[in-house]
Amino acid sequence: MNLKVGDVFAYQKTFTEQEILQFGELTGDKGSHHIERDDQGRLMAQGLLTASVGTKIGGDLNYIAREIVSKFIRPVFSGDTITCELTITKADKKEGFTEVAMKSFYKNQHGKEVLVGNSYGIIRD
């Protein structure tokens, strides 16, 4: 893959109650806010479940993360549709791999930011 600075990738996901509950079973993150509905009948998604939307793009790129930093801005609930947009900020070709850095922006269906972050790692040739 021939990545360059400024390349943008996006992926969108709508979270279901079942996925939030399953993530809680897989990780043990079963805080009451993840298993009890709010006053609108929704479950709050775990932060790392929200952050996982970007891993779809990473998988498509065969990206091996070395560090991921996330800032959680607002909660995500069952029924919310989250769009993750990743922008390549570094793509240095080395022998056998490319060093990659990226910024990530996650927004809900209302256009509100829910998470921002950055990551660096490698993509093997």
Side-chain angles (χ1 to χ4, degrees), residues 3-49:
L3 290 177
K4 62 185 180 307
V5 171
D7 284 350
V8 177
F9 302 89
Y11 179 68
Q12 189 175 77
K13 168 97 177 108
T14 301
F15 289 108
T16 67
E17 285 187 7
Q18 186 63 30
E19 289 167 330
I20 294 167
L21 294 171
Q22 286 177 330
F23 192 83
E25 288 298 321
L26 287 170
T27 64
D29 186 356
K30 297 190 244 179
S32 60
H33 49 290
H34 300 310
I35 59 174
E36 295 173 8
R37 287 175 177 69
D38 69 358
D39 58 356
Q40 296 179 36
R42 308 169 300 176
L43 296 180
M44 182 188 297
Q46 296 86 348
L48 291 179
L49 178 58

Side-chain angles (χ1 to χ4, degrees), residues 44-59:
M44 182 188 297
Q46 296 86 348
L48 291 179
L49 178 58
T50 301
S52 74
V53 174
T55 64
K56 161 64 166 97
I57 300 167

Side-chain angles (χ1 to χ4, degrees), residues 69-70 84-87 102-106 115-119:
V69 177
S70 299
C84 173
E85 186 175 280
L86 299 179
T87 302
M102 58 186 76
K103 289 184 180 180
S104 58
F105 300 92
Y106 294 65
L115 186 155
V116 295
N118 58 66
S119 177

